[in-house]
Amino acid sequence: MIEIPAAAVLARNIDIVQDVGSLRARLAAWRRTGEAIGLIPTMGALHAGHISLLRKAKRYARRAVVSIFVNPAQFAPSEDFAAYPRSLEKDMALIEAAQGDLVFAPCVEEMFAEGFATAINVAGPAAAGLEDRFRPTHFAGVALIVAKLFNQCRPDFAIFGEKDFQQLKVVERMARDLDFELQILSAPTVRETDGLALSSRNIYLAAEERARAPLLYAALSISVSAIKEGVPISRALELGRAMLNEAGFAVDYFEARHAESLKPIALQGDGPLRLLAAARLGRTRLIDNLAV
Ligand code: AMP
């Protein structure tokens, strides 16, 4: 009996390409007939958050390409590159169900040819502090891969989640600075019913940690409410931090930033605010953010 690979059973109508030449050929055919193309860059292990980006893309464009690439350049040596969840077959089925048109899943050698020697350094307030303080090589790795994907796909737009709010701002900055001819769109964070932001890394949480994990969103919500009620920003942030510390989180940062520029903000009235936080529960690092 011939064994049919699960991917073929689950996802029959969605194509996958793994090299840039095939990707460009497919996209050129769509472009010739005037079909708009949206790109959703991901690292796979897809969940409803990723799929919300795909559904949004399909509202704005005839064609949506999902890239799946676990990008080694955005992981520090101490991080979980090797262990990062990979589930291509399930991902393909989810993309097909949401009417995605093409999956681009290059291997590391396709993205980093021998002798690869180029770097992109996004500086300024968007990239400074927050994640950058704890993952100093992260955004250079993200910017590099996103820039390559933009050149490889030349989409009309690309969509990023607000879940990774600082990443969204870094990508917006880079696209503007390097004159990429595309629009950057964003989509709100998709959450579990208890408030925990969906993340491919949530599977690392032990059952007892999973029960505490929604407190990150709860702490952000409480700080946002306090600021809205007129509590000084520094005091409101202390409330949120204390709540997390008491629940056994190790807080990396819990800060207020200008919602557009990500410049630090100390006083209410200095512009639209966004609270951004990262905290560790055991070996799992959670990030989240909320508009005030
Ligand atoms: P990742 O695969 O984690 O690199 O994420 C790929 C894209 O999905 C990024 O633009 C993320 O911001 C976005 N994303 C991840 N989690 C969520 C979520 N819970 N809600 C909305 N978008 C998300």
Side-chain angles (χ1 to χ4, degrees), residues 41-44 47 49-50 52-53 74 84 159-164 167 187-191 197-200:
T42 81
M43 297 207 299
H47 50 62
H50 300 110
S52 75
L53 308 186
Q74 70 187 69
Y84 194 84
I159 306 195
F160 294 82
E162 288 180 358
K163 159 74 166 50
D164 301 281
Q167 167 175 283
T189 302
V190 176
R191 300 178 181 282
L198 297 193
S199 163
S200 309

Side-chain angles (χ1 to χ4, degrees), residues 69 71 73-74 111-112 140-150:
F69 181 61
N71 169 24
Q74 70 187 69
M111 290 303 248
F112 294 101
V142 170
L144 185 62
I145 282 308
V146 169
K148 283 174 68 73
L149 288 168
F150 286 177

Side-chain angles (χ1 to χ4, degrees), residues 200-260:
S200 309
R201 288 189 168 102
N202 289 350
I203 55 159
Y204 296 155
L205 293 165
E208 172 278 321
E209 292 165 344
R210 173 63 190 81
R212 273 185 293 157
L215 280 171
L216 180 58
Y217 176 65
L220 284 165
S221 304
I222 279 174
S223 294
V224 165
S225 302
I227 291 171
K228 283 183 177 162
E229 283 162 19
V231 174
I233 292 175
S234 59
R235 175 79 196 112
L237 295 175
E238 275 165 26
L239 283 174
R241 277 186 212 119
M243 187 172 156
L244 292 174
N245 288 332
E246 271 163 37
F249 285 76
V251 179
D252 279 352
Y253 60 83
F254 194 101
E255 291 185 26
R257 293 291 181 108
H258 189 284
E260 279 308 316

Side-chain angles (χ1 to χ4, degrees), residues 150-184:
F150 286 177
N151 277 328
Q152 292 161 344
C153 297
R154 296 201 295 109
D156 296 277
F157 61 83
I159 306 195
F160 294 82
E162 288 180 358
K163 159 74 166 50
D164 301 281
F165 197 76
Q166 191 177 14
Q167 167 175 283
L168 168 66
K169 293 294 148 189
V170 166
V171 168
E172 283 176 352
R173 185 75 259 163
M174 183 213 43
R176 227 175 299 151
D177 292 351
L178 298 185
D179 302 304
F180 281 103
E181 201 181 357
L182 82 177
Q183 260 186 291
I184 306 293

